[in-house]
Amino acid sequence: MKTFNEFGLEPKVLRAITEMGFEESTPIQEATIPLAMEGKDLIGQAQTGTGKTAAFGVPLVHKIQPSEERIVALIMCPTRELAIQVAEEIGKLGRFKGIRSLPIYGGQDIVKQIRALKKRPQIIIGTPGRLLDHINRKTIKLDDVQTVILDEADEMLDMGFMEDIQGILKLVPEERHTMLFSATMPVNIQRLAQQFLKNPQHVSVIPKQVSAPLIQQAYIEVQEKMKFEGLCRLLDMEAPELAIIFGRTKRRVDELSEALQKRGYSAEGLHGDLSQNQRDNVMRKFRDGSLDVLVATDVAARGLDVSGVTHVVNFDLPQDPESYVHRIGRTGRAGKEGTAWTFVTPREIDHLHFIEKITRHRITRMSLPSLAEAIEGKQKATAERILNLVQEEAINEYKGVAIQLLEQYDSVNLLAAAIKLLSGEKKEVDIELTPEEPLRAKKRRPDVRTAGRRPNTPYGGFGSRRPDGSRPEGRGGYGSSSGGSYGGGRSRSYEGRDNRDGSRENRSYGGNREGSRDGSRDNRGYKRESSSYRSRDTQSE
């Protein structure tokens, strides 16, 4: 692998990279940065967690001059969480050079964003809906944009942003540098590239094995009513530094995070019904280590890139193989090993085998640890923490009290009391979670590239048809004159559409069909993340 010194970057950018802890480039960075420095359009095929943000961020920050008073670069992301994360990394890369970047996303006060735009940022990182809102308000002008980056383009198209992206790109000067990054290359991504990229270079670093080799994967067959006790035993036995627990629905996430708190664990939930401030607070605490456990739905965790996640637990088996790969990919990053456990009820074993077949990875079976093993594991983890402190030798100020105590009490009793105190008292509280219906294996076309998208839909967005060719009730396409367009007519609010970037708290489509992509239904009553039309209402509500 090349070091960043070999790319010919200016000293201020190199300094930022060094302070971020980067030394050698990742495969996607090594392949992408030289092409981007030359200004060549490119398509980068890479999964999240491979370092693709720096792959486009480093050359972008390198070529922008701090004296620029215009928006010269535009980065589009599918979700607010990803927009925030990309903005944070771009901010770190450009801090010594004085590059100004700004995230623009739905759920945040638009007036606040307008004030921030007056500080003349050079790079805008935004979600398509909120970007269009600003364009319509004339608070963002794209006349001077020289570089456009589409990050996780397949996700954006899956979420129905094709029309928005096309509209935005048509407003950017044709003489520009365009980079598109996507984990998969379905036909709609290829069409988008043909329309807006000029002779693009194709860079692919997709591994042959779908699921990451550095992640130790195991499943535990357990009855639904025993899942929570099993989870507590696993957490006690392993004492993870940072863990993400995935639940299938928002209700599950709320109940599970509350139950863990009652048992004395440092845990909080993350799903689409939380306000932006609540989501930001939860993620801040998780990143700085104030939280040990994050309980999340698939959609809420999409785009999350938190370093140091040691364990992922699938409390509920995911709906499809792609969700499984995405979930476990939150750990085992940057060359570090990770652990992924999956709870499977006896009726879900066939569905697990289906996931194994598509991901081309055998998931090892393991037994649920006994109560004695859990207690022993917790004590060992606490003892390791004490030994680590001893080796660090940053304990001189406590030695005086320690000597006094040793003069009065037995050393073994003192150490045992310390281990008990640090292990934390486990609160014996009876917990009852609402049971989830088991998932059943379905016969599906085993194509990882297209699974998760609706059939007969050009880009997984609105205006799709049922397999029989009819449209779902009350749904026209964008701008249709039937009752299916936004607000029941032709006009639509781009500000409202931004809620698709993360959640849909404040929108409903024609009546009382409320819901969220996190839990089970979208607001139109259809399973959004399923790759085929099949009723799962009872499993998800």
Side-chain angles (χ1 to χ4, degrees):
M1 290 296 171
K2 284 187 178 181
T3 65
F4 285 96
N5 289 321
E6 298 177 62
F7 292 124
L9 300 167
E10 64 172 278
K12 289 179 180 178
V13 179
L14 279 174
R15 182 185 168 193
I17 291 168
T18 302
E19 294 213 1
M20 290 170 73
F22 299 151
E23 294 178 5
E24 292 184 340
S25 57
T26 65
I28 187 68
Q29 292 163 0
E30 183 176 1
T32 300
I33 290 174
L35 294 172
M37 298 270 281
E38 293 174 19
K40 292 183 177 178
D41 284 8
L42 63 88
I43 299 170
Q45 191 171 357
Q47 304 283 355
T48 56
T50 54
K52 61 182 173 59
T53 305
F56 61 73
V58 167
L60 181 63
V61 169
H62 169 80
K63 70 180 181 181
I64 293 176
Q65 297 304 314
S67 56
E68 281 285 4
E69 296 287 316
R70 310 165 296 169
I71 297 171
V72 293
L74 176 65
I75 303 171
M76 278 189 267
C77 304
T79 65
R80 62 185 74 172
E81 285 80 14
L82 186 59
I84 292 167
Q85 288 166 16
V86 170
E88 285 176 355
E89 189 151 351
I90 295 290
K92 290 175 184 175
L93 288 168
R95 59 180 174 154
F96 296 119
K97 192 174 175 182
I99 300 301
R100 300 180 300 280
S101 60
L102 179 67
I104 294 290
Y105 51 88
Q108 188 185 48
D109 183 3
I110 197 162
V111 176
K112 182 180 177 182
Q113 291 176 355
I114 291 169
R115 280 200 303 268
L117 283 164
K118 290 179 181 176
K119 296 178 181 177
R120 299 187 177 277
Q122 294 124 343
I123 305 172
I124 296 291
I125 305 102
T127 52
R130 181 53 66 95
L131 280 171
L132 274 172
D133 199 346
H134 279 284
I135 290 166
N136 290 337
R137 292 169 181 259
K138 298 188 171 19
T139 47
I140 285 181
K141 295 182 180 180
L142 305 179
D143 302 343
D144 301 310
V145 169
Q146 299 163 7
T147 305
V148 173
I149 295 156
L150 303 176
D151 193 12
E152 297 200 3
D154 50 353
E155 289 284 354
M156 285 197 282
L157 268 55
D158 278 351
M159 294 170 74
F161 284 130
M162 171 68 99
E163 195 175 285
D164 294 357
I165 293 168
Q166 289 175 325
I168 292 168
L169 290 177
K170 286 173 183 175
L171 298 173
V172 179
E174 284 192 21
E175 289 301 317
R176 65 171 182 265
H177 179 208
T178 310
M179 293 183 273
L180 182 152
F181 290 85
S182 181
T184 59
M185 283 294 146
V187 174
N188 49 6
I189 292 287
Q190 294 171 27
R191 286 202 203 102
L192 189 69
Q194 287 170 4
Q195 187 177 359
F196 293 104
L197 276 68
K198 296 177 181 177
N199 302 317
Q201 303 285 318
H202 195 121
V203 175
S204 177
V205 292
I206 297 296
K208 291 180 182 177
Q209 190 180 45
V210 176
S211 45
L214 290 174
I215 302 172
Q216 181 184 348
Q217 301 173 51
Y219 78 91
I220 301 166
E221 187 174 344
V222 62
Q223 296 289 345
E224 172 74 23
K225 62 183 178 182
M226 276 297 294
K227 278 185 180 181
F228 183 73
E229 292 302 324
L231 174 64
C232 292
R233 290 182 192 180
L234 286 173
L235 293 176
D236 288 345
M237 187 177 72
E238 290 282 321
E241 293 174 28
L242 284 178
I244 300 179
I245 300 172
F246 284 97
R248 193 180 303 150
T249 62
K250 291 177 292 182
R251 178 189 63 198
R252 175 73 100 187
V253 166
D254 284 336
E255 290 184 359
L256 188 51
S257 55
E258 185 180 346
L260 286 167
Q261 289 167 14
K262 286 179 178 177
R263 283 286 177 93
Y265 299 97
S266 175
E268 286 199 33
L270 188 73
H271 58 66
D273 275 359
L274 300 182
S275 69
Q276 189 60 39
N277 281 339
Q278 288 173 316
R279 294 157 81 98
D280 291 344
N281 287 336
V282 170
M283 287 310 303
R284 184 170 58 251
K285 286 192 276 189
F286 190 56
R287 285 194 174 96
D288 67 22
S290 304
L291 279 182
D292 297 329
V293 178
L294 177 69
V295 188
T297 55
D298 285 318
V299 173
R302 181 174 288 155
L304 282 188
D305 189 5
V306 181
S307 60
V309 174
T310 55
H311 294 71
V312 165
V313 182
N314 293 312
F315 193 80
D316 297 316
L317 197 64
Q319 300 272 18
D320 51 58
E322 295 75 28
S323 294
Y324 177 82
V325 173
H326 172 81
R327 286 179 178 190
I328 70 169
R330 303 306 96 199
T331 185
R333 295 186 161 221
K336 295 180 181 178
E337 293 185 359
T339 300
W341 293 313
T342 301
F343 286 135
V344 184
T345 63
R347 293 164 69 185
E348 292 177 322
I349 290 294
D350 286 346
H351 192 74
L352 178 80
H353 293 329
F354 173 66
I355 290 174
E356 287 181 312
K357 179 181 177 183
I358 299 302
T359 59
R360 303 193 292 278
H361 187 94
R362 184 175 176 81
I363 304 169
T364 308
R365 181 186 175 118
M366 68 178 275
S367 301
L368 192 67
S370 66
L371 190 57
E373 287 172 330
I375 293 170
E376 183 184 353
K378 193 169 187 179
Q379 290 176 356
K380 280 184 179 178
T382 304
E384 284 179 14
R385 287 169 59 196
I386 292 172
L387 288 173
N388 288 337
L389 275 175
V390 170
Q391 289 168 3
E392 288 175 8
E393 297 182 353
I395 52 176
N396 287 333
E397 58 191 291
Y398 301 96
K399 286 182 177 178
V401 175
I403 291 168
Q404 290 175 18
L405 289 171
L406 284 168
E407 288 173 353
Q408 301 174 50
Y409 301 98
D410 177 67
S411 59
V412 174
N413 287 338
L414 279 173
L415 193 53
I419 291 173
K420 180 180 179 181
L421 185 66
L422 287 170
S423 298
E425 289 290 336
K426 187 169 182 180
K427 301 172 184 176
E428 292 301 330
V429 180
D430 290 333
I431 299 296
E432 283 192 26
L433 302 179
T434 306
E436 293 282 341
E437 286 290 325
L439 291 178
R440 311 291 176 83
K442 302 283 183 179
K443 291 183 179 180
R444 292 173 40 178
R445 180 174 59 182
D447 187 345
V448 174
R449 295 171 303 169
T450 56
R453 297 180 177 86
R454 291 187 183 134
N456 305 319
T457 310
Y459 50 88
F462 295 87
S464 59
R465 297 177 181 271
R466 293 193 181 102
D468 64 1
S470 64
R471 289 190 186 278
E473 235 180 301
R475 292 180 65 202
Y478 282 136
S480 68
S481 57
S482 69
S485 60
Y486 289 102
R490 293 184 65 88
S491 64
R492 63 186 188 269
S493 163
Y494 285 109
E495 185 174 6
R497 293 185 59 190
D498 262 295
N499 287 334
R500 293 203 315 264
D501 298 344
S503 65
R504 290 191 172 128
E505 298 96 341
N506 300 318
R507 287 176 53 206
S508 61
Y509 287 74
N512 296 321
R513 288 176 174 173
E514 293 186 1
S516 169
R517 298 174 61 243
D518 288 344
S520 56
R521 302 182 185 214
D522 61 11
N523 293 338
R524 295 167 303 279
Y526 286 86
K527 183 70 193 175
R528 178 76 180 186
E529 295 178 359
S530 168
S531 63
S532 62
Y533 288 84
R534 50 185 183 271
S535 173
R536 285 183 179 151
D537 296 347
T538 57
Q539 298 170 3
S540 305
E541 289 301 330

